[in-house]
Amino acid sequence: MLGFPVALLTANAFEWYAHKVWLHEYPRKHRNSPFFSHIRHHKRVRLNGFEDEHYTMPMFQDQEIFNEKVALIGLCAVFTPTVAVAPFFTAGIYYSAWQYWHKHSKAHLQPEWARTQLPWHYDHHMNTHQDANWCVTRPWFDYLMGTRVIGDDSVAETNPLGMALPGWLERPVNRVARRLLPKAFQRLDANRHSEHGRRQRGEVEEIAA
Ligand SMILES: [Zn+2]
Ligand SMILES: [Zn+2]
Ligand SMILES: [Zn+2]
């Protein structure tokens, strides 16, 4: 049973790392790599108010969609042997891969849903600086690593789990989180503050492509 939440955490860490290193850092240095399609995804999203119509295309007609699906299917394939020893872990990996595809594609076809329901990914694309907010499904590792940059307080998640919790549960969750990770919350407040400052000064950095 414990395997399921462990898999969700593993997948979230992988989201953070792969998005940052493989999809942003690597293609900037290697423009001809297939991962460069992610830089194009960023460009389209900026030009179209968060929408990316490529998410309506079949995977064999579009490089970005192809890459994303192959990566997710590959991740599932790699972890499939664990089913023999930790079936809940395997199930958690499958679930995470599905969540990634479902949320990312829905977000870029329904920008208003993304702005309010997936604010961390909306901020990833629409903030003044696009090299932060690496998690897509839930913002967990961005909180842990100090890379969550909140753009709009009125729609931002109100707890680090990025889940809608009733007040009686959310208050203790936030209390415990702040006690366990005081540095992470200092970063969160500082990041929010500097994003607001950059917006006021109109300091917008477009991704180099
Ligand atoms: Zn990105
Ligand atoms: Zn595309
Ligand atoms: Zn995106």
Side-chain angles (χ1 to χ4, degrees), residues 5-192:
V6 169
L8 299 192
L9 266 180
T10 306
N12 197 263
F14 182 72
E15 253 177 38
W16 186 93
Y17 178 83
H19 189 178
K20 180 178 189 289
V21 176
W22 297 356
L23 298 182
H24 280 238
E25 292 169 8
Y26 185 82
R28 283 222 182 94
K29 282 178 248 145
H30 305 89
R31 295 179 58 90
N32 295 324
S33 89
F35 297 129
F36 198 77
S37 64
H38 187 73
I39 306 294
R40 282 192 222 103
H41 167 58
H42 272 260
K43 283 233 125 180
R44 280 195 304 277
V45 166
R46 289 291 267 212
L47 292 172
N48 298 304
F50 200 76
E51 208 171 314
D52 184 354
E53 78 291 341
H54 286 218
Y55 278 90
T56 58
M57 292 181 184
M59 69 184 277
F60 289 107
Q61 274 171 37
D62 187 88
Q63 182 81 58
E64 168 84 0
I65 307 304
F66 180 83
N67 289 353
E68 205 163 296
K69 283 196 173 166
V70 167
L72 292 169
I73 292 165
L75 183 76
C76 291
V78 163
F79 281 102
T80 293
T82 63
V83 75
V85 284
F88 284 103
F89 180 83
T90 320
I93 294 289
Y94 288 3
Y95 173 79
S96 299
W98 163 246
Q99 281 286 297
Y100 187 100
W101 175 256
H102 171 70
K103 287 183 171 176
H104 197 216
S105 57
K106 181 173 178 176
H108 287 297
L109 295 173
Q110 298 179 34
E112 192 49 28
W113 177 83
R115 195 177 73 82
T116 54
Q117 306 304 311
L118 213 61
W120 45 88
H121 193 59
Y122 194 86
D123 291 340
H124 173 65
H125 286 286
M126 305 307 273
N127 273 359
T128 60
H129 189 68
Q130 297 167 64
D131 288 302
N133 300 301
W134 304 111
C135 296
V136 173
T137 57
R138 304 271 183 206
W140 303 339
F141 268 79
D142 281 311
Y143 276 81
L144 285 173
M145 306 303 280
T147 47
R148 176 72 179 105
V149 181
I150 290 177
D152 180 355
D153 287 310
S154 69
V155 289
E157 70 282 6
T158 50
N159 64 67
L161 295 177
M163 296 176 186
L165 301 174
W168 60 265
L169 183 58
E170 185 167 72
R171 277 186 294 275
V173 164
N174 279 330
R175 246 194 326 267
V176 170
R178 279 185 182 266
R179 194 167 306 155
L180 288 177
L181 305 160
K183 287 239 169 64
F185 281 88
Q186 277 167 22
R187 282 291 296 276
L188 185 73
D189 294 333
N191 288 347
R192 179 195 338 245

